[in-house]
Amino acid sequence: MKMAMLIKRPNGTQDAVPGEVYKWHTVENVVRDSAEQFGFKEIRIPTFEETGLFVRSVGDTTDVVQKEMYTVSSTGDKTYTLRPEGTAGTIRAIIENGILNEGLPQKVFYLLSCFRHEKAQKGRLREFHQFGCEMLGAASPSADADTIALAHSVLGRLGLKNIVLNINSIGCPECRAKYREALKAYFEPHREELCATCQERLDKNPLRLLDCKSAEDQAIAKDAPIMTDYLCEDCAAHFEGVKKNLGIMGIDYVVNPKIVRGLDYYTRTVFEFISNDIGSQGTVCGGGRYDGLVEELGGKPTPALGFAMGLERILLTMEAQGCEFMEEKTCDLYVASMGEAAAAKAVEIAAAMRDEGFYAEYDLVGRGLKAQMKYADKIRAKYVIVIGDSELESGTAKLKNMATGEQTDISLGEGLLDDFGAQYYEMMLSTDDDFRSFVESFADDKQ
Ligand code: HAM
């Protein structure tokens, strides 16, 4: 017999299989909730955009635009690119939908997939997922600190530890131009010793020299001039304001002059949250201010800032640190049956249970009773009802608590839902701490 060839997933992509997906839900629930606590509303944007959007915003000298974009040509002279990040499309959508006229600041968040043709390794994928936030129309240093505080809150609520917040200021176009010259003057005598990429960066984007991973280049960059010494008065005051506000919120940080970010739109504050627990790709969150981007993309001049977290890196760090994930939902009631009439009753009971909000299942593959019980065990059903001809006749069946093995009689008539609900409630009170404290807090409120 000819065997069909197995097609594997593309390099640098991941599957989230049902047994693992609850980990994603844990992170997604927390980020949505935290974003809403800080006043951010969700935005959804297309997976692909006109290529020019990324070239103009991310920048044509960046690695992302030069080497990593998945671009497809289309009919006519337009090309489209799978989004390598979420900021450009979000700002495009905000301008296009007139959202900046609805009162400022505007605060949006997104959960989306991004695509970069990078060399895949642990923590570096070709399709990855970001939770990101963008705040538009707030120029004050407290806006920077508040945005950083949201990222800090998410990491804390997920139980992550030892994540260091690195901050820097890369100034405005005026003060950065002077710094760029100072960097060029510093690196020029070392041109021949630099790696090929950095030789190119020296001409096009000297700030990126500070970010090179090569040990030789890092040694050369050790005594390079630092941006904070070149900040103009306004940029310096802004950076002091950000630090002061972080202090007020009790958020620890280190000032790291090597944080320059890999995307061109940034101005003033830039920051990264870095973990040491997942290897070389330890930046779990990166962001900063980008006061020129809205205007660059055709909107009215609007200060803005934001960040994005790499969800795969967050999950890797949570796993490495043994953080807790929310529990997978398990079946509340499995309705086992023997015989045709009982099978029909099982369908009816499961449907009624689902209408009440319970998770209920019954046999769909024609298994015998023993195999049905095995299946109920496998799906970790909390309760099983067994129905056969005699149960149909008497109108009463056995309800088995699968954790304790305890069996009680339960009426199959009108009282079924109420009786099951009462037993379920008692069981949850005695076994589920979260449920018990929820019920107790409700009772306290009523007193
Ligand atoms: P970014 O630093 O390019 O910034 O990406 C943000 C985060 O996405 C990184 O810190 C990392 O956790 C994750 N990430 C990036 N590339 C990969 C990859 N190949 N595999 C896995 N995870 C990755 C931005 O994208 C900006 N748009 C952030 C921003 C929003 N700045 C202002 N607003």
Side-chain angles (χ1 to χ4, degrees):
M1 197 178 68
K2 199 171 149 225
M3 288 279 278
M5 201 151 65
L6 209 59
I7 299 175
K8 300 259 178 77
R9 65 169 182 263
N11 190 18
T13 63
Q14 281 185 347
D15 302 310
V17 294
E20 293 279 307
V21 86
Y22 67 98
K23 296 184 179 172
W24 285 85
H25 294 165
T26 307
V27 177
E28 287 159 5
N29 287 351
V30 166
V31 301
R32 276 180 200 285
D33 194 58
S34 289
E36 281 163 10
Q37 279 186 328
F38 280 71
F40 287 76
K41 306 261 187 280
E42 184 170 354
I43 188 165
R44 297 190 185 191
I45 55 169
T47 309
F48 62 94
E49 300 272 358
E50 276 190 35
T51 304
L53 175 71
F54 302 116
V55 177
R56 257 163 67 191
S57 48
V58 173
D60 55 1
T61 65
T62 58
D63 286 353
V64 169
V65 166
Q66 287 204 334
K67 306 183 201 155
E68 297 167 4
M69 294 205 300
Y70 283 94
T71 296
V72 288
S73 48
S74 196
T75 44
D77 52 6
K78 277 200 179 128
T79 64
Y80 294 95
T81 295
L82 296 182
R83 59 185 172 219
E85 54 103 57
T87 308
T90 299
I91 302 305
R92 195 255 328 122
I94 283 178
I95 298 170
E96 191 167 338
N97 291 284
I99 292 172
L100 291 173
N101 304 325
E102 291 170 19
L104 299 176
Q106 282 293 327
K107 302 193 244 179
V108 297
F109 79 89
Y110 48 81
L111 275 159
L112 44 73
S113 51
C114 300
F115 306 85
R116 296 185 192 174
H117 195 267
E118 298 202 71
K119 203 158 170 247
Q121 64 173 96
K122 184 180 173 190
R124 192 162 72 191
L125 293 153
R126 293 182 171 173
E127 181 186 16
F128 59 97
H129 296 78
Q130 287 187 342
F131 157 64
C133 285
E134 314 293 349
M135 186 192 293
L136 293 102
S140 72
S142 54
D144 304 44
D146 205 50
T147 305
I148 292 173
L150 167 55
H152 183 261
S153 152
V154 166
L155 299 173
R157 282 182 64 184
L158 290 172
L160 290 163
K161 295 187 188 65
N162 308 324
I163 309 253
V164 180
L165 166 61
N166 290 251
I167 62 168
N168 190 23
S169 173
I170 55 166
C172 60
E174 286 79 52
C175 54
R176 197 169 339 135
K178 291 189 193 124
Y179 177 58
R180 215 189 289 258
E181 288 316 310
L183 274 183
K184 273 190 175 172
Y186 174 85
F187 280 107
E188 195 55 61
H190 301 283
R191 182 181 278 273
E192 300 306 319
E193 301 152 55
L194 295 169
C195 72
T197 319
C198 281
Q199 294 195 15
E200 244 178 74
R201 286 171 171 163
L202 185 51
D203 297 317
K204 293 186 184 152
N205 199 349
L207 255 73
R208 300 282 302 144
L209 283 161
L210 301 176
D211 210 24
C212 183
K213 299 283 175 284
S214 123
E216 291 81 25
D217 291 12
Q218 280 184 4
I220 299 170
K222 203 163 97 1
D223 298 318
I226 59 173
M227 179 69 223
T228 38
D229 288 340
Y230 287 79
L231 293 178
C232 64
E233 219 176 289
D234 285 352
C235 287
H238 186 92
F239 195 41
E240 285 312 307
V242 175
K243 290 190 275 184
K244 185 172 156 227
N245 276 282
L246 288 175
I248 294 171
M249 294 198 225
I251 297 176
D252 293 334
Y253 59 86
V254 293
V255 175
N256 180 350
K258 298 262 154 65
I259 300 289
V260 289
R261 311 282 300 129
L263 314 169
D264 269 0
Y265 46 63
Y266 292 109
T267 53
R268 292 192 165 171
T269 320
V270 285
F271 58 91
E272 289 183 359
F273 285 87
I274 302 174
S275 160
N276 280 323
D277 290 328
I278 53 169
S280 65
Q281 304 301 311
T283 304
V284 294
C285 174
R289 189 167 267 290
Y290 49 90
D291 287 343
L293 184 61
V294 178
E295 193 177 4
E296 174 65 36
L297 294 180
K300 54 188 174 199
T302 309
L305 76 157
F307 67 77
M309 274 178 196
L311 299 188
E312 286 81 359
R313 291 188 192 175
I314 295 280
L315 286 168
L316 275 177
T317 319
M318 286 179 74
E319 280 164 358
Q321 295 186 359
C323 295
E324 270 185 41
F325 293 99
M326 68 186 224
E327 298 214 351
E328 256 183 297
K329 213 177 165 109
T330 53
C331 181
D332 294 321
L333 178 66
Y334 184 84
V335 194
S337 62
M338 276 175 303
E340 235 174 81
K345 185 74 181 168
V347 177
E348 188 192 312
I349 292 175
M353 287 292 167
R354 288 170 182 167
D355 282 349
E356 281 297 295
F358 290 108
Y359 162 6
E361 287 199 48
Y362 56 93
D363 179 52
L364 294 171
V365 292
R367 288 188 171 112
L369 185 63
K370 212 165 145 201
Q372 288 183 47
M373 294 305 283
K374 223 165 146 186
Y375 177 77
D377 216 33
K378 195 161 167 220
I379 61 170
R380 295 191 284 140
K382 297 182 189 86
Y383 285 98
V384 174
I385 288 185
V386 183
I387 316 169
D389 288 341
S390 58
E391 283 78 11
L392 286 181
E393 211 167 290
S394 67
T396 309
K398 292 273 181 239
L399 176 69
K400 183 172 177 186
N401 179 326
M402 296 294 275
T404 61
E406 202 184 326
Q407 303 208 35
T408 47
D409 287 334
I410 193 159
S411 151
L412 293 177
E414 286 212 336
L416 174 65
L417 286 174
D418 285 349
D419 290 354
F420 180 74
Q423 284 219 29
Y424 188 87
Y425 180 80
E426 288 304 321
M427 178 274 294
M428 289 293 282
L429 266 188
S430 61
T431 57
D432 188 314
D433 293 343
D434 290 342
F435 183 76
R436 192 172 45 247
S437 22
F438 173 72
V439 171
E440 282 167 2
S441 71
F442 193 65
D444 288 347
D445 283 351
K446 280 199 140 177
Q447 272 172 11

